[in-house]
Amino acid sequence: SGTTYNGRLVSCDTYMNINLRDVVCTSKEGDKFWKLNECYVRGSSIKYLRLPEEAVERVKEEESKWQGHGGGGGHGGRGGGGRGRGYS
């Protein structure tokens, strides 16, 4: 819709639904502003997301920790063993 939300990221799920706090909402035209204590934004409506560089670095550090613990492991994913649909 063109509306922008600027705030502190509280949480994000795997569908990119996000919760923000201390939010300033700006209209598409840029002439109206609203201050919100908190806000929920559905991931499917997000066009882009700007994050501070230190947040990106923190994610890289967390990923390397998980990879060091033998992450990836064996459950889920496509293909691989088991019977598929239509087989008896």
Side-chain angles (χ1 to χ4, degrees):
S1 71
T3 305
T4 61
Y5 297 86
N6 187 357
R8 188 168 45 99
L9 181 64
V10 175
S11 66
C12 178
D13 66 15
T14 57
Y15 297 104
M16 208 168 133
N17 299 318
I18 62 173
N19 286 299
L20 300 171
R21 282 215 180 107
D22 304 324
V23 181
V24 175
C25 178
T26 307
S27 68
K28 181 178 182 179
E29 297 78 23
D31 59 346
K32 296 178 186 145
F33 303 90
W34 298 271
K35 186 169 178 160
L36 308 168
N37 290 329
E38 56 187 16
C39 177
Y40 172 84
V41 182
R42 186 179 170 122
S44 63
S45 68
I46 297 173
K47 284 188 178 180
Y48 71 91
L49 188 65
R50 288 189 335 196
L51 296 170
E53 188 62 36
E54 58 267 10
V56 176
E57 292 300 321
R58 200 173 314 147
V59 169
K60 289 178 185 177
E61 290 172 9
E62 289 295 318
E63 283 179 342
S64 65
K65 285 180 189 176
W66 282 105
Q67 288 174 357
H69 286 45
H75 298 297
R78 290 183 171 243
R83 293 185 170 168
R85 238 162 103 179
Y87 296 101
S88 52

